Amino acid sequence: MTSAAAMASVAEVAAGPERPRESSAEPRVEVFGIRHHGPGSARSLVAALEELQPDAVLIEGPADADPLIALAVVEGMTPPVALLGYAADDPGRAAFWPYAVFSPEWQAMTWAAGRGVHVAFCDLPAAMTLAADPERQGHTDAEADGDEAPQVRQDPLALLAHAAGYDDPERWWDDVVESRHDGSSPFAALAEAMAALRKDLPRPADAAEQALEERREAYMRQVIRATLKAGHRRVAVVCGAWHVPALSTPLRPAVADSRVLKGVPKRKVSLTWVPWTHSRLAYASGYAAGITSPGWYHHLWTAPDRPVVRWLAKVASSLRQRDLVVSSAHVIEAVRLAEGLAALRGRPLAGLAEVTEATRAVLCEGDEVAVRFVTDHLVVGQALGSVPDDVPTVPLEADLAARCRSLRLKREAHSRSLDLDLRKPIDQGKSRLFHRLRLLGIDWAVPAVSQVRSTGTFRESWQLEWQPELAVAIVEAAAWGTTVEAASSAKARDAAPRSTLAELTGLVESCLKADLPEAVQVLLRALEAKATLDADLLHLMEALPALVRAQRYGDVRGTDTSALEAVSRSMLIRICSGLPQAVASLDDEGALALRHLVDKVHAAVLLLDAGPARSGGDADTSGDASRDRWFSTLRRLIDRADVNGLLVGRMVRLLHDASLLDDVPRRVARALSVGVPPAQKAGWVDGFFADGALLLIHDTELLGLLDDWVCELEGQQFVDVLPLVRRTLGSFSPSERRTIADSVRAGRRGPATAADAPVDAARGRAALATVELILGVSA
């Protein structure tokens, strides 16, 4: 931008010219062009409102959200929050209008509402916004100013920064607005600069974007006219700086605006307040709300005096909590460095760039991991707002809030781990809630790997992180019911007819964990019908593990799972009947896929075998029968010549682990004999030894056979089988691979045994005496 007018306006912004006064006898409309979510802009706006003392304040925002403005000053409303608008007939079509405490729009709202001044939104209603092209859904007001039409639509102030010699618009805005503490107003100069930009820059190339901008500005002018007609004499209009020239008096003829708005489609919408987060105010969040450092801007708003000192002290405190050594001397030196950098760069006050460089060099001593922590937790921030209980909401949200209170769960913006002990009633309640929410597509909590070593099924681990867009998911889920339990049950029942066999078993497992007995009964009937008709063996093998896990989890939660047993046994019978035909003449890729399914079915069979005893003292023999049938099937397959070696090796391994084969070394030797092709040998080794490091560590004979085979491979044969062997050994841990290598290198097949070491009888008797004492027995 090289316009002389724009350059002059930049200079006036920095100088802070006074705004001319008008006669109070005539209606007065003051248009304040602000930067969305700018603390300096908000501070200047509050000062301007105090000076003007308007009797009406109009704010860029959805006009049909006016009834919600009064809630901004209600106790319990804590920014960041957002207006949520969603279509009544399609809750997935929604839009957010977020506000932080340092947002000029929020300050205008609270200023007017707290003084009893008439305040209203003046932008296109959500009813019109959500009736437009679905591809434009989800845009906020800040985004509407940020659409790219040319570059100016992305940030109209970027060109002013460039004209002033700044390569970073954030730094320019910091210098001329955010760092101002002299009380001067930048609004008149910004209005003139925007007029120059709008005059010199071309119109949007996108016709739809141009039409949207024209409708928005036409609607805002109509609201200004209606406000003046209602008798208000001093009207303050708060809008994005780009719109100031279009809204300044004298306004264009009303007839032209009526023509622009004629025929604009509408749809029925609902609006409410929802909590928001600082991270969702950042560009990277997916909602281009206009700032990359909301945590820093919040600090500028809440600590206008000595912001650099206070900020670096906050950074030091945060780093100390991570056990990093940061002293008071570090903070003093960081402050000096930040202020020195600002002076060298001719800045009135150290900005985010300077304090970040000081943080990196002094407080973090060049540690980029620590710098990223400061950026994520302080510069961006993880603050989560809150809304009062009486804010209009869907019944499902109210029920979820009640469940969270009763279970002592807090919705927090940062990620945290939660380990549950399902033997405790309150942890059972939390588990049920999380599983119900996942059925509804509300992924507040997702399953995680526990940091506590435990093999019991009574423990669950979750990762919790509340995201603002989950508010939309709640609204969408509200169509299924008014409570979390009713909605999740209804959604699961509705999915039954359209689900595959594997999906049905997964739903059964989820519904058992969520304690939804009505849904379980519906799903079981659908499962029985589909399992009877589904002749695909792979579908049955994919479905069985989830069904068996459901039985086990039901046992832990005290849920009656007897109805699942007949279905599980029936599916296993069909699997055992169909497996002999399915394994014939498979290529390597098909054999590998089937091997994974065989592993899953085998694990499920072992779970069936571990089932609890029946009431009345009778032992449950169904698990034994299932196990015997499964192992009998495997034994019939391991001697067939038409079965891929990878599958044969795996089946031999499973039977060996169950102590059902006494000729395993002979089978390994035969599989690795001279007459077998190298690729088939490698497949057999992969099937048998995968995840079997302990076999090689403790079974000297098997390790010797494998070592001899590898040593006998010729050059090209070794190259051909190397990928398969590496895949097999890659499943071992580093310590396991090291132990095996040491054994081979030392020229012995396995670690030293007890027979290799001399026995100290005296020390042995002392150890035996201790064991007898612990066990309470005597020799």
Side-chain angles (χ1 to χ4, degrees), residues 465-536:
E465 183 176 6
W466 185 262
Q467 301 289 351
E469 55 265 31
L470 293 177
V472 177
I474 293 174
V475 173
E476 292 182 289
W480 296 104
T482 58
T483 67
V484 176
E485 180 179 3
S488 56
S489 180
K491 187 174 182 181
R493 296 196 305 269
D494 181 77
R498 301 184 302 276
S499 300
T500 65
L501 190 59
E503 290 170 344
L504 275 174
T505 55
L507 279 173
V508 169
E509 181 182 13
S510 298
C511 289
L512 276 172
K513 294 178 180 180
D515 192 17
L516 302 173
E518 292 183 7
V520 169
Q521 296 304 317
V522 173
L523 292 170
L524 279 179
R525 290 194 292 270
L527 180 62
E528 288 177 313
K530 194 171 288 288
T532 302
L533 298 175
D534 198 329
D536 191 316

Side-chain angles (χ1 to χ4, degrees), residues 23 117 130 420 487 532 544 662 677:
S23 172
V117 174
L130 295 175
L420 302 180
T532 302
L544 181 65
D662 54 8

Side-chain angles (χ1 to χ4, degrees), residues 409-429:
L409 285 169
K410 288 184 63 178
R411 295 184 238 184
E412 299 171 316
H414 63 272
S415 178
R416 69 183 183 96
S417 300
L418 183 64
D419 286 319
L420 302 180
D421 185 342
L422 301 181
R423 297 169 297 186
K424 299 178 181 179
I426 190 168
D427 282 4
Q428 276 197 24

Side-chain angles (χ1 to χ4, degrees), residues 22 36 199 238 244 307 376 436 469 507 534 537 626 648:
E22 296 182 7
H36 298 286
K199 179 180 179 182
V238 180
V244 172
D376 293 340
R436 288 170 181 175
E469 55 265 31
L507 279 173
D534 198 329
L537 178 73
S626 300
V648 173

